[in-house]
Tab-separated table of all heavy atoms in Angstrom:
chain	number	residue	atom	x	y	z
A	20	SER	N	62.974	115.659	111.004
A	20	SER	CA	61.761	115.885	111.841
A	20	SER	C	60.536	116.000	110.935
A	20	SER	O	59.482	115.483	111.324
A	20	SER	CB	61.992	117.108	112.685
A	20	SER	OG	60.810	117.471	113.409
A	21	LEU	N	60.688	116.727	109.819
A	21	LEU	CA	59.554	116.880	108.881
A	21	LEU	C	59.188	115.586	108.309
A	21	LEU	O	57.928	115.404	108.172
A	21	LEU	CB	59.955	117.878	107.756
A	21	LEU	CG	58.959	118.099	106.664
A	21	LEU	CD1	57.714	118.728	107.244
A	21	LEU	CD2	59.606	118.866	105.519
A	22	LEU	N	60.033	114.675	108.048
A	22	LEU	CA	59.719	113.416	107.442
A	22	LEU	C	59.408	112.375	108.546
A	22	LEU	O	59.145	111.237	108.294
A	22	LEU	CB	60.914	112.808	106.611
A	22	LEU	CG	61.315	113.762	105.448
A	22	LEU	CD1	62.497	113.110	104.716
A	22	LEU	CD2	60.127	114.017	104.450
A	23	GLU	N	59.382	112.812	109.823
A	23	GLU	CA	59.025	112.003	111.017
A	23	GLU	C	59.906	110.764	111.107
A	23	GLU	O	59.365	109.578	111.370
A	23	GLU	CB	57.545	111.655	110.884
A	23	GLU	CG	56.621	112.902	110.996
A	23	GLU	CD	55.179	112.614	110.820
A	23	GLU	OE1	54.765	111.469	110.744
A	23	GLU	OE2	54.427	113.607	110.800
A	24	ILE	N	61.231	110.953	110.981
A	24	ILE	CA	62.127	109.898	111.204
A	24	ILE	C	63.307	110.521	112.056
A	24	ILE	O	63.366	111.737	112.228
A	24	ILE	CB	62.745	109.325	109.860
A	24	ILE	CG1	63.428	110.451	109.059
A	24	ILE	CG2	61.679	108.590	109.095
A	24	ILE	CD1	64.132	110.022	107.799
A	25	SER	N	64.179	109.683	112.602
A	25	SER	CA	65.306	110.235	113.351
A	25	SER	C	66.419	110.728	112.417
A	25	SER	O	66.481	110.335	111.257
A	25	SER	CB	65.883	109.193	114.279
A	25	SER	OG	66.516	108.123	113.495
A	26	ASP	N	67.221	111.618	112.923
A	26	ASP	CA	68.285	112.127	112.206
A	26	ASP	C	69.272	110.999	111.849
A	26	ASP	O	69.832	110.965	110.791
A	26	ASP	CB	69.066	113.260	112.983
A	26	ASP	CG	70.232	113.807	112.110
A	26	ASP	OD1	70.001	114.202	110.990
A	26	ASP	OD2	71.339	113.952	112.674
A	27	TYR	N	69.443	110.052	112.772
A	27	TYR	CA	70.333	108.942	112.529
A	27	TYR	C	69.812	108.134	111.349
A	27	TYR	O	70.597	107.656	110.489
A	27	TYR	CB	70.424	108.000	113.756
A	27	TYR	CG	71.237	106.733	113.475
A	27	TYR	CD1	72.575	106.770	113.350
A	27	TYR	CD2	70.470	105.534	113.264
A	27	TYR	CE1	73.272	105.595	113.035
A	27	TYR	CE2	71.225	104.394	112.915
A	27	TYR	CZ	72.577	104.360	112.787
A	27	TYR	OH	73.259	103.235	112.559
A	28	GLN	N	68.523	107.824	111.277
A	28	GLN	CA	67.936	107.044	110.198
A	28	GLN	C	68.176	107.736	108.821
A	28	GLN	O	68.571	107.062	107.864
A	28	GLN	CB	66.424	106.964	110.385
A	28	GLN	CG	66.090	105.944	111.433
A	28	GLN	CD	64.543	105.868	111.748
A	28	GLN	OE1	63.902	106.860	111.770
A	28	GLN	NE2	63.996	104.641	111.822
A	29	LEU	N	68.035	109.108	108.757
A	29	LEU	CA	68.327	109.875	107.544
A	29	LEU	C	69.762	109.706	107.145
A	29	LEU	O	70.128	109.428	106.000
A	29	LEU	CB	67.859	111.305	107.738
A	29	LEU	CG	68.038	112.197	106.457
A	29	LEU	CD1	67.200	111.620	105.313
A	29	LEU	CD2	67.509	113.586	106.829
A	30	ARG	N	70.647	109.981	108.153
A	30	ARG	CA	72.089	109.919	107.915
A	30	ARG	C	72.504	108.501	107.484
A	30	ARG	O	73.353	108.316	106.541
A	30	ARG	CB	72.914	110.271	109.086
A	30	ARG	CG	72.927	111.783	109.430
A	30	ARG	CD	73.965	112.182	110.553
A	30	ARG	NE	73.466	111.654	111.840
A	30	ARG	CZ	74.075	110.666	112.473
A	30	ARG	NH1	75.133	110.043	111.984
A	30	ARG	NH2	73.636	110.293	113.676
A	31	TYR	N	71.918	107.532	108.096
A	31	TYR	CA	72.314	106.127	107.713
A	31	TYR	C	71.966	105.765	106.303
A	31	TYR	O	72.818	105.174	105.573
A	31	TYR	CB	71.592	105.193	108.727
A	31	TYR	CG	71.936	103.662	108.452
A	31	TYR	CD1	73.096	103.077	108.855
A	31	TYR	CD2	70.993	102.902	107.715
A	31	TYR	CE1	73.374	101.804	108.547
A	31	TYR	CE2	71.277	101.594	107.408
A	31	TYR	CZ	72.466	101.005	107.820
A	31	TYR	OH	72.781	99.688	107.507
A	32	HIS	N	70.780	106.099	105.927
A	32	HIS	CA	70.412	105.671	104.598
A	32	HIS	C	70.963	106.632	103.451
A	32	HIS	O	70.946	106.251	102.276
A	32	HIS	CB	68.875	105.678	104.549
A	32	HIS	CG	68.259	104.585	105.270
A	32	HIS	ND1	68.422	103.265	104.959
A	32	HIS	CD2	67.530	104.522	106.445
A	32	HIS	CE1	67.799	102.535	105.844
A	32	HIS	NE2	67.262	103.242	106.749
A	33	LEU	N	71.388	107.785	103.880
A	33	LEU	CA	72.019	108.625	102.824
A	33	LEU	C	73.544	108.501	102.786
A	33	LEU	O	74.174	108.524	101.692
A	33	LEU	CB	71.780	110.116	103.144
A	33	LEU	CG	70.290	110.680	102.918
A	33	LEU	CD1	70.261	112.144	103.190
A	33	LEU	CD2	69.962	110.343	101.429
A	34	TYR	N	74.230	108.279	103.944
A	34	TYR	CA	75.727	108.306	103.914
A	34	TYR	C	76.320	106.984	104.450
A	34	TYR	O	77.575	106.873	104.122
A	34	TYR	CB	76.154	109.492	104.834
A	34	TYR	CG	75.445	110.773	104.501
A	34	TYR	CD1	74.730	111.445	105.579
A	34	TYR	CD2	75.438	111.298	103.226
A	34	TYR	CE1	74.047	112.645	105.226
A	34	TYR	CE2	74.781	112.484	102.935
A	34	TYR	CZ	74.149	113.110	104.012
A	34	TYR	OH	73.462	114.301	103.714
A	35	ILE	N	75.655	106.156	105.133
A	35	ILE	CA	76.326	105.007	105.724
A	35	ILE	C	76.010	103.694	104.930
A	35	ILE	O	76.907	102.923	104.543
A	35	ILE	CB	75.979	104.782	107.160
A	35	ILE	CG1	76.351	106.028	107.965
A	35	ILE	CG2	76.554	103.514	107.782
A	35	ILE	CD1	75.911	106.013	109.394
A	36	TYR	N	74.647	103.487	104.658
A	36	TYR	CA	74.173	102.270	103.913
A	36	TYR	C	74.929	102.280	102.506
A	36	TYR	O	74.930	103.266	101.847
A	36	TYR	CB	72.770	102.316	103.723
A	36	TYR	CG	72.103	100.975	103.211
A	36	TYR	CD1	71.792	99.951	104.150
A	36	TYR	CD2	71.851	100.774	101.960
A	36	TYR	CE1	71.309	98.732	103.718
A	36	TYR	CE2	71.359	99.618	101.467
A	36	TYR	CZ	71.094	98.556	102.365
A	36	TYR	OH	70.544	97.367	101.918
A	37	PRO	N	75.494	101.190	102.169
A	37	PRO	CA	76.140	101.087	100.853
A	37	PRO	C	75.340	101.505	99.627
A	37	PRO	O	74.257	101.020	99.503
A	37	PRO	CB	76.529	99.559	100.738
A	37	PRO	CG	76.562	99.059	102.180
A	37	PRO	CD	75.529	99.803	102.844
A	38	ARG	N	75.863	102.376	98.881
A	38	ARG	CA	75.082	103.014	97.774
A	38	ARG	C	74.833	101.981	96.720
A	38	ARG	O	73.795	102.079	96.023
A	38	ARG	CB	75.838	104.212	97.170
A	38	ARG	CG	76.014	105.357	98.085
A	38	ARG	CD	74.834	105.822	98.841
A	38	ARG	NE	73.748	106.319	97.908
A	38	ARG	CZ	72.511	106.630	98.299
A	38	ARG	NH1	72.131	106.341	99.543
A	38	ARG	NH2	71.671	107.110	97.468
A	39	ASP	N	75.663	101.057	96.486
A	39	ASP	CA	75.462	99.940	95.532
A	39	ASP	C	74.399	98.965	95.892
A	39	ASP	O	73.895	98.169	95.040
A	39	ASP	CB	76.750	99.217	95.202
A	39	ASP	CG	77.309	98.553	96.419
A	39	ASP	OD1	77.010	98.890	97.545
A	39	ASP	OD2	78.069	97.551	96.296
A	40	LYS	N	73.962	99.061	97.172
A	40	LYS	CA	72.876	98.153	97.598
A	40	LYS	C	71.540	98.941	97.906
A	40	LYS	O	70.544	98.386	98.178
A	40	LYS	CB	73.296	97.458	98.930
A	40	LYS	CG	74.394	96.498	98.772
A	40	LYS	CD	74.753	95.851	100.091
A	40	LYS	CE	75.950	94.877	99.963
A	40	LYS	NZ	76.240	94.214	101.240
A	41	ALA	N	71.626	100.236	97.744
A	41	ALA	CA	70.452	101.137	98.042
A	41	ALA	C	69.312	100.974	96.955
A	41	ALA	O	68.207	101.275	97.216
A	41	ALA	CB	70.879	102.575	98.019
A	42	TYR	N	69.714	100.554	95.736
A	42	TYR	CA	68.695	100.423	94.685
A	42	TYR	C	68.868	99.004	94.042
A	42	TYR	O	69.978	98.487	93.943
A	42	TYR	CB	68.919	101.486	93.631
A	42	TYR	CG	68.476	102.919	94.049
A	42	TYR	CD1	69.325	103.710	94.877
A	42	TYR	CD2	67.270	103.429	93.609
A	42	TYR	CE1	68.931	104.970	95.278
A	42	TYR	CE2	66.892	104.671	93.925
A	42	TYR	CZ	67.724	105.462	94.812
A	42	TYR	OH	67.357	106.737	95.144
A	43	THR	N	67.728	98.617	93.507
A	43	THR	CA	67.680	97.450	92.600
A	43	THR	C	67.492	97.951	91.188
A	43	THR	O	66.550	98.703	90.945
A	43	THR	CB	66.542	96.475	92.897
A	43	THR	OG1	66.729	95.988	94.293
A	43	THR	CG2	66.514	95.339	91.959
A	44	THR	N	68.455	97.683	90.340
A	44	THR	CA	68.479	98.247	88.991
A	44	THR	C	68.246	97.145	87.978
A	44	THR	O	68.868	96.111	88.000
A	44	THR	CB	69.766	98.951	88.648
A	44	THR	OG1	69.865	100.074	89.644
A	44	THR	CG2	69.725	99.576	87.267
A	45	PHE	N	67.360	97.401	86.986
A	45	PHE	CA	67.135	96.426	85.876
A	45	PHE	C	66.740	97.209	84.644
A	45	PHE	O	66.531	98.419	84.707
A	45	PHE	CB	66.053	95.416	86.258
A	45	PHE	CG	64.781	96.058	86.718
A	45	PHE	CD1	63.684	96.450	85.835
A	45	PHE	CD2	64.531	96.309	88.097
A	45	PHE	CE1	62.529	97.034	86.291
A	45	PHE	CE2	63.277	96.924	88.557
A	45	PHE	CZ	62.349	97.231	87.652
A	46	GLN	N	66.703	96.566	83.502
A	46	GLN	CA	66.433	97.188	82.244
A	46	GLN	C	65.155	96.609	81.643
A	46	GLN	O	64.865	95.431	81.715
A	46	GLN	CB	67.603	97.102	81.270
A	46	GLN	CG	68.852	97.818	81.745
A	46	GLN	CD	69.954	97.787	80.740
A	46	GLN	OE1	70.222	96.753	80.157
A	46	GLN	NE2	70.650	98.921	80.562
A	47	ILE	N	64.378	97.532	80.976
A	47	ILE	CA	63.245	97.022	80.164
A	47	ILE	C	63.462	97.416	78.745
A	47	ILE	O	63.835	98.563	78.339
A	47	ILE	CB	62.006	97.887	80.656
A	47	ILE	CG1	61.749	97.613	82.123
A	47	ILE	CG2	60.810	97.439	79.875
A	47	ILE	CD1	60.557	98.421	82.722
A	48	PRO	N	63.335	96.431	77.857
A	48	PRO	CA	63.479	96.724	76.414
A	48	PRO	C	62.459	97.715	75.885
A	48	PRO	O	61.254	97.612	76.211
A	48	PRO	CB	63.270	95.348	75.811
A	48	PRO	CG	63.458	94.351	76.834
A	48	PRO	CD	62.972	95.110	78.080
A	49	LYS	N	62.912	98.635	75.039
A	49	LYS	CA	61.963	99.595	74.353
A	49	LYS	C	61.585	99.026	73.022
A	49	LYS	O	62.316	98.069	72.492
A	49	LYS	CB	62.614	100.975	74.197
A	49	LYS	CG	62.972	101.651	75.458
A	49	LYS	CD	63.703	102.974	75.135
A	49	LYS	CE	64.060	103.806	76.395
A	49	LYS	NZ	64.707	105.077	76.046
């Protein structure tokens, strides 16, 4: 409610949506 989204949306993106697809990961050379 504070973030102005539904509880389902929050649950979906935290617990249902595959975690390996939640982020795009890449590397930058130092």
Side-chain angles (χ1 to χ4, degrees):
S20 176
L21 176 63
L22 301 180
E23 298 175 2
I24 59 176
S25 69
D26 182 48
Y27 173 77
Q28 287 175 314
L29 183 57
R30 284 189 293 111
Y31 178 79
H32 291 292
L33 288 185
Y34 312 123
I35 301 174
Y36 192 84
R38 298 309 296 171
D39 59 337
K40 296 181 180 179
Y42 286 79
T43 299
T44 299
F45 52 89
Q46 293 184 319
I47 301 176
K49 298 181 182 180

